Amino acid sequence: MVTQVEMESRTVRYGELQPCRSAFIDAHTPGSDQKENFTIIGGGVSESADQHVHITETPGFNIGAAGQPPHCRNSLHTHRTAEVFFVLKGRWRFFWGRWGDAGEVVLEEGDVFNIPTGIFRGFENIGTDYGMIMAILGGDDAGGGVVWAPQVITDAKDYGLILGDDGKLYDQEKGQTLPAGVSPMPLLTEAELKQIPEPAASAVVPNFVARYRDMMAMADRAPLKVIADDGLLKDRPGFELEFINRTSSNESPIESDRHTVLMVMRGHWTVSWADGRITLAPGDTCAVPPGLSHRLVPAMSGEASLFRVCNTDDPAGLTRTV
């Protein structure tokens, strides 16, 4: 039995998201100092003790988000497990490479980017209003943290932030210093940097990007597998990503022995089960427990779409090779 109260506790509303403005090493660096980080399910890879975690239990992956005003960017970094984004609001430029000039792609609302693990990546809101991108990070601990391009750590020192080798931030502007036994995070060596790929856009975009309008067309009869071994983007990063719209939803009961997370893109959706029902709006996230028989349908007329994430038995490791 899953009560109404329990399901509400497993739902994070977009309007109730609590941001952290000091989540990462570049929080004071000009050009990156206005970004907001959100951890929705799991602690993600935040480096700040101030980060609020909405749902602490992880289903084999983490869900987070980044909100940024126009012209604000997230600095170059890489991850040890998968990092998948879809654009909820705005227009975003994603770029990659040691200096961010190896390639780039512009994503519109609803587009998905399954960023190849192990490459330096950054992103910038190039729209005219505050933008939001939603993130899925592989693994319960999301790979243990972020690996920054050396210049990001070096630049941050000029603005009072030091990243310790314990993975935590220390803000000199607040009088904080590294504790005894904690050293500054070492920079990647030149030998290590040479091992990090710098793929061309011609290798990345066709194999790691899915466009919203294409997904809307292909989900006309059944939910579309976006990231899966047999999906639009063929990959096995420890979770699968599906896309559902009005024409691929129906009243039939859904039941899975997997953890399932619903992330609404457009419209309002009703989730109903034997003991209750909730309505989800754009930007809302709902963690459906394994074994719960439920129905998932649009709640009103108009465009309706959402993403569904399920854990798999695959290890939370690298994405496919570029």
Side-chain angles (χ1 to χ4, degrees), residues 59-87:
F61 51 86
N62 284 234
I63 300 292
Q68 297 173 196
H71 312 301
C72 181
R73 65 167 51 193
N74 188 292
S75 301
L76 290 163
H77 65 283
T78 186
H79 291 270
R80 298 180 178 88
T81 65
E83 181 179 43
V84 173
F85 286 109
F86 75 84
V87 177

Side-chain angles (χ1 to χ4, degrees), residues 11-17 40 63 65 86-90 109-110 130 132-134 212 243-244 246 262-271 278-286 296-307:
T11 301
V12 181
R13 304 291 182 179
Y14 179 77
E16 297 174 356
L17 287 171
I40 300 171
I63 300 292
F86 75 84
V87 177
L88 181 67
K89 294 178 180 292
E109 292 183 354
Y130 183 89
M132 179 76 82
I133 50 178
M134 310 298 287
Y212 180 70
F243 179 83
I244 305 171
R246 176 179 300 279
L262 306 175
M263 305 174 72
V264 177
M265 178 63 210
R266 297 269 197 238
H268 291 70
W269 291 76
T270 295
V271 182
I278 59 172
T279 300
L280 304 176
D284 289 353
T285 301
C286 178
L296 176 64
V297 294
M300 57 185 67
S301 60
E303 186 171 323
S305 58
L306 60 76
F307 292 95

Side-chain angles (χ1 to χ4, degrees), residues 20-37 46-48 50-51 72-75 148 152-153 155-157 159-163 169-171 173-174:
C20 179
R21 296 178 176 87
S22 58
F24 295 110
I25 186 69
D26 61 346
H28 294 170
T29 304
S32 300
D33 54 348
Q34 298 182 66
K35 63 180 181 176
E36 297 178 321
N37 189 71
S46 174
E47 297 161 345
S48 174
D50 296 332
Q51 183 76 63
C72 181
R73 65 167 51 193
N74 188 292
S75 301
W148 295 99
V152 178
I153 296 177
D155 291 347
K157 290 181 180 179
Y159 300 95
L161 281 177
I162 299 176
L163 181 62
L169 276 180
Y170 298 90
D171 192 341
E173 293 183 358
K174 296 180 179 179

Side-chain angles (χ1 to χ4, degrees), residues 183-203:
S183 300
M185 181 69 73
L187 303 181
L188 293 176
T189 66
E190 286 301 318
E192 290 171 323
L193 289 168
K194 289 179 180 178
Q195 299 300 313
I196 297 178
E198 299 213 348
S202 58

